[in-house]
Amino acid sequence: MLIQNGTDLVLPKGIETLSKEELSLQLSKMGEKGFRRQYPHPFLGLSRTPLESEEWVEPKTLDSEIRRIEPQRSGDALNIIVPVAKSDRNVYGSKVTLGRAKNNDIIMREPRISKLHATFIPKDDQVFQIMDMGSSNGTLVNGEPLTAREAVDLKSGDEISFWRYVFEFLSLDDLIRQLK
């Protein structure tokens, strides 16, 4: 379990993560060109998860639905990286979906995350947008709530919150700089 200020933090079951150490090792083995071919998309760096005292478990949800993890820290940030990448589970063309349902690209099995919570939309090679899909608990970008179904541009370093999970949006270039 992850401890922050003496309190447990939790990460929802189902979210596919990488560590900065894993990615750094891959970068050194593949070289930058190979790494860019392998990961031609942005990432989310997890910066905060709900405290255990903030954890809400639906009466029908077993505690086993939430797994406790012990990621390493890199400075003050958690060392967890989530690819913003397409999977074979989602039928929405080029959009990358995030939500609780199993057909999302980024799955967060957390009761306060909607089945289809948000989508990431590639605008061009360098720009991604995010859109809240009318989720129950909303999506924030840099502390500002998104209007449902209105896409907003993201830039590297933007803070994105899904309920009490806070991520930093990272361009591939910025992630590579952090890994070097």
Side-chain angles (χ1 to χ4, degrees):
M1 101 186 48
L2 173 64
I3 306 294
Q4 180 176 343
N5 299 329
T7 309
D8 300 340
L9 299 177
V10 296
L11 185 67
K13 181 179 176 181
I15 193 167
E16 297 173 27
T17 64
L18 301 166
S19 73
K20 283 187 179 177
E21 282 78 19
E22 290 172 297
L23 290 170
S24 185
L25 184 61
Q26 288 181 22
L27 177 61
S28 64
K29 285 182 179 179
M30 295 179 189
E32 189 171 324
K33 192 173 181 178
F35 189 85
R36 286 178 181 280
R37 273 194 307 271
Q38 177 76 25
Y39 299 107
H41 49 71
F43 293 83
L44 297 174
L46 183 65
S47 55
R48 184 184 185 282
T49 65
L51 301 172
E52 190 170 2
S53 61
E54 298 172 318
E55 183 180 329
W56 177 82
V57 179
E58 191 174 32
K60 295 178 186 174
T61 303
L62 299 177
D63 188 44
S64 63
E65 282 296 309
I66 298 174
R67 66 183 170 105
R68 289 169 183 10
I69 60 164
E70 197 169 334
Q72 297 175 340
R73 289 180 171 275
S74 176
D76 288 332
L78 301 178
N79 193 15
I80 297 171
I81 304 294
V82 180
V84 179
K86 291 292 296 165
S87 70
D88 58 359
R89 300 181 293 263
N90 159 356
V91 298
Y92 290 105
S94 63
K95 294 178 183 176
V96 176
T97 60
L98 178 143
R100 192 177 70 234
K102 292 179 183 179
N103 62 336
N104 286 291
D105 299 304
I106 302 170
I107 301 169
M108 294 182 68
R109 301 282 300 153
E110 158 64 54
R112 297 255 176 136
I113 300 295
S114 295
K115 290 178 185 175
L116 176 57
H117 196 97
T119 59
F120 293 90
I121 306 157
K123 195 171 174 184
D124 60 38
D125 288 343
Q126 298 297 316
V127 179
F128 263 72
Q129 296 180 314
I130 188 169
M131 180 187 301
D132 182 87
M133 299 303 292
S135 65
S136 299
N137 290 300
T139 303
L140 304 175
V141 174
N142 298 322
E144 294 295 319
L146 297 182
T147 302
R149 293 179 179 76
E150 277 188 28
V152 299
D153 289 352
L154 289 171
K155 62 183 180 309
S156 195
D158 280 348
E159 182 182 271
I160 305 170
S161 303
F162 308 104
W163 184 51
R164 292 192 175 122
Y165 293 90
V166 181
F167 295 88
E168 178 185 4
F169 183 76
L170 294 168
S171 68
L172 179 57
D173 291 338
D174 282 350
L175 178 66
I176 288 172
R177 273 192 286 279
Q178 286 185 18
L179 296 176
K180 285 185 174 181

